[in-house]
Structures are given as structure tokens and as C-alpha cells.
Amino acid sequence: MEARALWLLLLVLALGSSGWAQEYIGLSASQCVVPPKDRVDCGYPQITERDCNNRGCCFDSSTPGVPWCFKPLQETECTF
């Protein structure tokens, strides 16, 4: 039984260090449409797009002088 638990642990660690666990998917495109002047910083200097997305944030490096890693817009649900 111990060998089985060890193999399971190794499998979890291997998957955890693979690209599967590293990629963040969950923001809709509309959540990242934030005017540059309204962006709220969500990163640190030299953050990569991947690290930014893993924080649950948006990344857009096309505008100098504003945060490239920024908080997404919150989607609101309409309730009638």
C-alpha cells in the first residue's frame, strides 16, 4: 500500500509541475477590456504574462506607462 501511495504522490507532483497545472484559464475576453487609465495594478515589475494570468489577472503590454498586469473587470449577473 505504501508503494501505491508513493506512486500517487509522484504522479500528483509531476502533473503539478507540468504545463497543465501552470496555465490559468478563467477570464472572459470582456473582463480584460479595461481602459489603460483605469487599470489597477495586479503584478510586479517584469512579471510575465503567464505569471500574471496565474494570479487571475489580465496582461496587455501594448500601452507604455500603465500597468501591464491588471485586475479584470468583475462580471455581473443580471437577475430579474
Side-chain angles (χ1 to χ4, degrees), residues 24 27-29 31-34 39-63 66-73:
Y24 177 82
L27 292 174
S28 68
Q31 285 180 277
C32 292
V33 181
V34 179
R39 292 181 183 176
V40 176
D41 200 355
C42 188
Y44 50 85
Q46 309 302 319
I47 192 169
T48 64
E49 182 173 3
R50 182 179 186 166
D51 288 342
C52 178
N53 293 150
N54 284 340
R55 290 172 161 238
C57 299
C58 301
F59 188 89
D60 177 4
S61 60
S62 65
T63 307
V66 298
W68 290 357
C69 181
F70 52 94
K71 294 185 178 183
L73 295 172

